[in-house]
Amino acid sequence: MDVGNLSDKILNGDRRALARAITLVESGRADHRAQATELLAHLAKSGRQSLRIGLSGTPGVGKSTFIESFGMMLTGQGLRVAVLAVDPSSTRSGGSILGDKTRMERLSRERNAFIRPSPSQSHLGGVARRTREAIALCEAAGFDVVLIETVGVGQSETVVSEMSDLFLLLLAPAGGDELQGVKRGIMEMADMILVNKADGDLKTTATRTCADYAGALRLLRKRPQDPEAFPKAMTVSAVEEHGLELAWDEMQALTQWRRDNGFWDGNRAAQAQFWFEQEVRSALLARLSTPQARADMEQLGAQVSTGQLSPSAAAEHMLASLVVE
C-alpha cells in the first residue's frame, strides 16, 4: 500500500480512501499496524481538528435515531459529519450486526456525512480499540464534527470520554428518580444529559425525568472544565426533531468557553497521555500471547495447581521472564 498516496487522498476528502484507511487501522496484522502508524504520522502534520462528540446511553434509548436527526440538522447547516458507530460483538462467534447504516437511512445518503460501523470485539467500554485512530483519520479528511456512538452497556462505559471533546449521555423518560443520577461513573463524565423521546404521551414524563437529573447534577462536585450551569440536562425528541438546535447551541457555547479558558488543549493533551499508557499496557498484554509466554504460563500454572508455588510467587516468576525478554 502506498501510504503517501493514501494520505493525500484522505486530505482531499476522498471517502473511499478514508474507508480503506479505517480498515487498515482496525487490522491487527503487524505489517498493517506499521503502515497505519506511518499513515497517522503523515496525517498528523495537517493539524486539522474536528469537534469530537461521544454519545452513550442504554440500548433502546434511541441513539441511532438521535444521531440521524442531529446529523441531518448539522449537514443542513453546511457542516460535514462523520459517525463512528460501535456495535457489540458476540462473545461466542465474534460477529457483529453492523446495522447502523440501515438505521440511519437518510443520513447514509447525505453527501456531507460519512457513517462507519465497527465491531467492539472484546474491548470494554463499548468502544473499539482503534476508534481513536479512526477519529484522527476523519479529522484529517476535513469533517467538522465526529460523532462516536458506543454500544451502551451501562455505567462502566466511560472510556469514550477519553477520546471526545464533549460527552453526551442519552436517557429515556422514566429512567429512574434523581437518586439514579447521583450514581458515580458515567454521570460524572457527562457534559450534557439529553432525555430523548420527549414527544407524544411521554413528553410530560420526559420533562419530569429531566428535572430529576438536573437536580442530581447539582449534587455532583463542580468540575473545573465547566462554566456555570454545566453539566446540564435537556429534553429532545429525535423523532419530531425538537430541541436539537437548542442542544447544539449549548454544545457550541460549552466548546467555545473551554477553548477560551484553555481547557480544550489541556483535555486533548491529557487524552494523548492516557492513550499512550493504554498502548503500553496493550503491548505488554500482547507479549503474554507469544508461544514461549503461553508455555511458561502453563508450566507455572501446573506448579500452582499442585501447591509447589503460590500464585503470587508464580506471577513474579512470569513477570521476571517478560522483563528478561
Side-chain angles (χ1 to χ4, degrees):
M1 180 179 293
D2 187 342
V3 172
N5 184 44
L6 184 62
S7 174
D8 291 340
K9 288 182 177 180
I10 291 172
L11 292 172
N12 289 326
D14 188 319
R15 297 157 65 95
R16 189 181 296 274
L18 175 59
R20 287 182 61 204
I22 293 177
T23 300
L24 178 67
V25 300
E26 289 179 344
S27 173
R29 279 177 42 177
D31 57 334
H32 287 174
R33 288 305 308 152
Q35 290 177 327
T37 302
E38 182 183 354
L39 175 64
L40 290 165
H42 270 264
L43 295 174
K45 298 174 184 177
S46 69
R48 293 177 179 175
Q49 287 190 337
S50 307
L51 175 59
R52 307 170 181 174
I53 301 177
L55 184 71
S56 183
T58 55
V61 76
K63 294 191 296 295
S64 297
T65 305
F66 172 82
I67 287 178
E68 180 172 51
S69 298
F70 187 62
M72 290 298 294
M73 182 199 72
L74 294 179
T75 56
Q77 296 180 7
L79 299 174
R80 298 185 68 214
V81 179
V83 178
L84 300 175
V86 183
D87 265 10
S89 298
S90 168
T91 55
R92 294 186 178 182
S93 67
S96 297
I97 297 175
L98 303 179
D100 291 275
K101 281 195 174 182
T102 304
R103 294 194 189 104
M104 305 177 195
E105 186 178 354
R106 286 187 301 149
L107 191 61
S108 64
R109 296 198 300 265
E110 175 61 47
R111 61 179 299 179
N112 284 328
F114 175 83
I115 303 175
R116 173 66 181 229
S118 299
S120 66
Q121 298 171 344
S122 59
H123 307 298
L124 295 176
V127 178
R129 179 183 172 192
R130 297 302 170 190
T131 299
R132 177 183 55 85
E133 295 178 347
I135 293 171
L137 294 173
C138 291
E139 286 189 314
F143 285 94
D144 301 297
V145 179
V146 180
L147 296 168
I148 308 106
E149 180 197 0
T150 65
V151 172
V153 292
Q155 292 199 93
S156 64
E157 193 178 344
T158 57
V159 70
V160 69
S161 67
E162 296 293 347
M163 60 177 69
S164 56
D165 303 308
L166 296 178
F167 181 31
L168 309 183
L169 178 59
L170 209 61
L171 298 175
D177 58 23
E178 66 178 4
L179 289 178
Q180 291 291 112
V182 181
K183 291 181 178 177
R184 298 302 192 250
I186 199 166
M187 282 288 299
E188 290 181 317
M189 299 293 179
D191 295 307
M192 289 180 63
I193 292 177
L194 302 179
V195 181
N196 193 24
K197 303 183 180 181
D199 47 60
D201 296 337
L202 290 174
K203 189 169 185 178
T204 303
T205 307
T207 302
R208 186 166 59 249
T209 301
C210 181
D212 287 341
Y213 277 93
L217 288 173
R218 287 193 290 270
L219 299 176
L220 296 179
R221 183 179 300 171
K222 182 71 175 175
R223 305 181 306 183
Q225 70 268 31
D226 292 330
E228 287 300 320
F230 279 92
K232 63 173 53 181
M234 303 177 65
T235 58
V236 295
S237 170
V239 173
E240 296 184 354
E241 301 184 1
H242 290 163
L244 299 181
E245 291 192 6
L246 181 58
W248 174 235
D249 290 341
E250 295 289 353
M251 292 179 213
Q252 289 178 295
L254 177 57
T255 300
Q256 190 59 49
W257 186 88
R258 287 180 175 173
R259 284 183 182 274
D260 294 341
N261 290 274
F263 290 105
W264 172 283
D265 292 332
N267 183 50
R268 293 233 170 168
Q271 288 178 354
Q273 175 73 17
F274 173 85
W275 288 108
F276 157 68
E277 294 175 1
Q278 290 298 111
E279 288 293 333
V280 172
R281 289 189 180 95
S282 297
L284 288 174
L285 287 174
R287 294 179 67 176
L288 291 174
S289 299
T290 62
Q292 182 60 51
R294 286 199 298 268
D296 291 343
M297 288 280 283
E298 288 181 11
Q299 182 180 359
L300 289 168
Q303 293 180 34
V304 169
S305 63
T306 58
Q308 295 175 266
L309 277 177
S310 68
S312 56
E316 288 183 10
H317 282 300
M318 188 66 213
L319 290 173
S321 68
L322 291 176
V323 172
V324 171
E325 288 181 13

